[in-house]
Amino acid sequence: MRIATTIFLTDRTVSPVRLARALEERGFSGLYLPEHTHIPVSRDTAAPMGGELPEMYGRTLDPFVALGQVSAVTERLHLGTGITLVAQHDPIDLAKQVATLDHLSGGRVTLGIGYGWNVEEAADHGVEWRTRRELVRDRMALMRALWAPEPTAYVGQFSSVRASAAYPKPVRAPRELGAGQPLHGPRTLIGGQAGPKLFAAIADHADGWLPIGGGGLTESLPVLRQVWEAAGRDPKSLQIVPYAVQPTPGKMSHYADLGLEEVVLQLPSAPEPEILRALDAFARYL
């Protein structure tokens, strides 16, 4: 399995450049970065892990700026987002950011996307919470239109774009969705907990799933595969990448037995010495 990492990079942690070089020197396969534009201090939304929300959530670096630095100082390290909050972006701008990073890095980008958990953060972006999933689907369709090889118009429920010249294009070749429809763009994985809505979205417009924490896959994978194949997707093309995993030998062996090809391990949000100690501990899984 390829062993990638994720971390909340902030203004108080190791820098993107120092971390990127350490990862590539040691043979890790990739770096995925999360996203929060801001964390309103008056917040009714519970923290996803319970208790007080750690400070790192409000100090997170912009993932695309940070990954641009990472790209410039590495040659092989894959660059991922985990996750991009698509509903909080202008999709035309986001399509340009993603395609530019993918072009400059030689096609090393994985776009991890999701729906978010912080109602107040999303509201400041004008997102209506109850329709956020439909909004993300709509914005991803618009982005795929801009990534298509020929100028392609898109008119959706929430947004539209004229047939346009939009370069650079993502490096990855189109894949096939159901009914012969092409999937344009970088590898796209949707993060979130198992469930019918999430699995339907994955089969509809993604390459696979980022299961947060990586638990429960024995039960959930057969369900996702059934939904995937019912949508007319190639069974061999589904990609499952356990995300933000705290590794143990048993857990990693289980992922290998499931036939998974990549796992993303969680690094502490910390200064460089602590990060290097964590990488040395993770090296046993390379």
Side-chain angles (χ1 to χ4, degrees), residues 1-283:
M1 290 185 298
R2 299 188 305 276
I3 307 299
T5 60
T6 184
I7 182 176
F8 277 82
L9 284 179
T10 77
D11 56 333
R12 294 179 172 176
T13 66
V14 64
S15 74
V17 167
R18 296 284 293 180
L19 176 58
R21 287 173 171 156
L23 289 169
E24 191 160 81
E25 286 168 1
R26 287 163 172 77
F28 288 90
S29 67
L31 174 63
Y32 290 70
L33 298 181
E35 175 182 47
H36 283 286
T37 54
H38 66 301
I39 300 293
V41 294
S42 297
R43 186 171 51 81
D44 295 325
T45 309
M49 73 295 294
E52 292 297 318
L53 188 69
E55 183 186 46
M56 63 190 182
Y57 279 79
R59 307 190 77 101
T60 304
L61 301 184
D62 178 274
F64 292 101
V65 175
L67 290 171
Q69 283 197 331
V70 170
S71 171
V73 299
T74 58
E75 296 180 355
R76 301 176 304 280
L77 198 70
H78 287 265
L79 318 171
T81 59
I83 57 172
T84 297
L85 298 167
V86 175
Q88 297 180 187
H89 286 267
D90 178 291
I92 298 174
D93 285 341
L94 183 57
K96 175 69 77 172
Q97 285 179 284
V98 172
T100 299
L101 180 61
D102 198 51
H103 169 73
L104 293 176
S105 67
R108 289 188 273 153
V109 169
T110 290
L111 180 63
I113 68 171
Y115 307 106
W117 59 268
N118 191 322
V119 178
E120 291 79 17
E121 177 185 358
D124 282 349
H125 288 276
V127 176
E128 186 175 348
W129 193 249
R130 66 178 182 84
T131 59
R132 71 193 187 283
R133 292 176 180 270
E134 292 80 4
L135 178 61
V136 169
R137 184 181 188 275
D138 186 77
R139 289 187 170 173
M140 290 303 301
L142 185 151
M143 291 163 63
R144 292 196 303 273
L146 290 172
W147 292 333
E150 300 297 332
T152 302
Y154 175 76
V155 177
Q157 179 182 357
F158 300 96
S159 55
S160 62
V161 68
R162 297 171 177 83
S164 304
Y167 292 86
K169 302 295 184 184
V171 174
R172 186 164 184 161
R175 289 81 71 202
E176 186 175 313
L177 293 169
Q181 296 298 312
L183 174 59
H184 299 294
R187 181 173 74 150
T188 301
L189 305 174
I190 304 183
Q193 298 298 318
K197 290 182 179 179
L198 182 73
F199 288 174
I202 291 169
D204 180 69
H205 56 267
D207 294 292
W209 182 25
L210 280 175
I212 310 300
L217 294 181
T218 301
E219 297 76 22
S220 57
L221 280 187
V223 179
L224 174 55
R225 289 191 174 112
Q226 184 177 25
V227 173
W228 181 269
E229 293 180 32
R233 303 294 298 272
D234 179 359
K236 297 179 181 178
S237 68
L238 176 61
Q239 299 181 45
I240 311 296
V241 182
Y243 185 77
V245 170
Q246 297 293 342
T248 65
K251 190 181 296 185
M252 300 298 278
S253 177
H254 177 58
Y255 294 150
D257 291 342
L258 290 174
L260 306 187
E261 297 179 353
E262 181 181 7
V263 178
V264 182
L265 306 184
Q266 180 72 61
L267 289 169
S269 182
E272 185 172 347
E274 187 174 344
I275 294 295
L276 295 182
R277 288 194 293 271
L279 292 180
D280 290 340
F282 288 167

